[in-house]
Amino acid sequence: DAKTTQPPSMDCAEGRAANLPCNHSTISGNEYVYWYRQIHSQGPQYIIHGLKNNETNEMASLIITEDRKSSTLILPHATLRDTAVYYCIVRVGPNSGYALNFGKGTSLLVTP
Amino acid sequence: GAVVSQHPSWVICKSGTSVKIECRSLDFQATTMFWYRQFPKQSLMLMATSNEGSKATYEQGVEKDKFLINHASLTLSTLTVTSAHPEDSSFYICSARAVGQGSNQPQHFGDGTRLSIL
């Protein structure tokens, strides 16, 4: 799996958009970008994933650059409950039997 | 849909005892389940991949005789920490792969089991 690089920590004011970057310059053509988050003492929670097109769901938006070497997860209106560690993971598609490998992620702190 | 239940959520026991953790897929069949371990302030580390009806595949450095994994049915995998010692204290998390459920998520995670060995 391609390696990802994320900033170790970020702050965001409540109600503002949180933009979390991820570099994955060695991504292969068949690898997807997945985002999970882990709130303290809980299991990881799926947020969104994409291959090359931008994606949006009820939780977030995922913007993938045209060369696919980086992406940004956007939480449009961050709340205090969005404080968590966010993991960007690159891996082959959802039907693969391979495990997700978690890096260090970005610790997002949403402040009042 | 695609809920994974882990039990117990926390356990405290004496050094030398064995502890069993259960991971159940509640509304789907999981041919593959994964076990992770997470130490404080660290990321999740994959311990093993468990396929229903066959032996688990362990990651390098994980003792298979220490961490016994059984995946006897399509909805249940168990992790037994044998002769647990304080260094085994950690947060253990399981996940399951939902096959044929229309899920676009590669893995669904349980809420973890916090194990403390005294």
Side-chain angles (χ1 to χ4, degrees):
Chain A
D1 295 339
K3 182 178 177 180
T4 62
T5 303
Q6 300 177 250
S9 63
M10 294 182 63
D11 292 347
C12 178
E14 187 178 21
R16 304 297 293 269
N19 297 290
L20 291 88
C22 179
N23 286 322
H24 31 78
S25 59
T26 59
I27 191 170
S28 300
N30 64 342
E31 289 181 318
Y32 288 69
V33 180
Y34 294 93
W35 283 85
Y36 279 76
R37 74 179 182 183
Q38 186 180 25
I39 296 170
H40 183 63
S41 294
Q42 296 183 22
Q45 177 188 23
Y46 167 82
I47 301 174
I48 199 168
H49 77 280
L51 182 61
K52 53 183 178 182
N53 296 322
N54 297 337
E55 301 289 339
T56 295
N57 62 22
E58 64 278 4
M59 291 184 67
S61 294
L62 173 61
I63 308 299
I64 303 174
T65 58
E66 192 168 346
D67 62 8
R68 302 208 323 124
K69 292 184 177 182
S70 66
S71 60
T72 301
L73 178 73
I74 301 173
L75 307 178
H77 306 286
T79 70
L80 299 180
R81 287 180 292 181
D82 291 323
T83 292
V85 178
Y86 287 77
Y87 297 97
C88 168
I89 302 168
V90 171
R91 208 208 65 174
V92 295
N95 291 324
S96 163
Y98 296 109
L100 291 167
N101 290 309
F102 290 79
K104 296 182 178 180
T106 295
S107 179
L108 175 68
L109 175 64
V110 180
T111 56
Chain B
V3 176
V4 174
S5 174
Q6 207 171 322
H7 179 80
S9 55
W10 62 272
V11 59
I12 302 173
C13 61
K14 295 181 179 180
S15 181
T17 57
S18 295
V19 179
K20 180 185 286 188
I21 302 169
E22 292 186 347
C23 179
R24 295 182 183 272
S25 55
L26 296 186
D27 50 1
F28 67 98
Q29 293 184 334
T31 55
T32 305
M33 289 186 171
F34 306 95
W35 287 95
Y36 293 81
R37 179 169 55 181
Q38 185 176 31
F39 292 109
K41 299 188 184 300
Q42 295 187 22
S43 186
L44 286 78
M45 295 298 296
L46 180 67
M47 298 176 67
T49 299
S50 167
N51 291 299
E52 186 265 338
S54 63
K55 291 183 178 180
T57 301
Y58 291 82
E59 295 299 301
Q60 189 173 6
V62 178
E63 300 175 56
K64 62 180 181 181
D65 295 329
K66 172 79 171 175
F67 300 97
L68 302 179
I69 293 173
N70 183 282
H71 192 166
S73 79
L74 287 172
T75 59
L76 174 64
S77 176
T78 60
L79 168 67
T80 301
V81 183
T82 62
S83 186
H85 289 94
E87 58 266 29
D88 299 321
S89 297
S90 188
F91 191 50
Y92 293 85
I93 306 168
C94 74
S95 70
R97 175 173 167 241
V99 179
Q101 300 295 318
S103 171
N104 63 354
Q105 300 180 33
Q107 292 173 226
H108 301 268
F109 288 84
D111 274 338
T113 297
R114 188 159 301 282
L115 174 63
S116 295
I117 308 298
L118 304 178

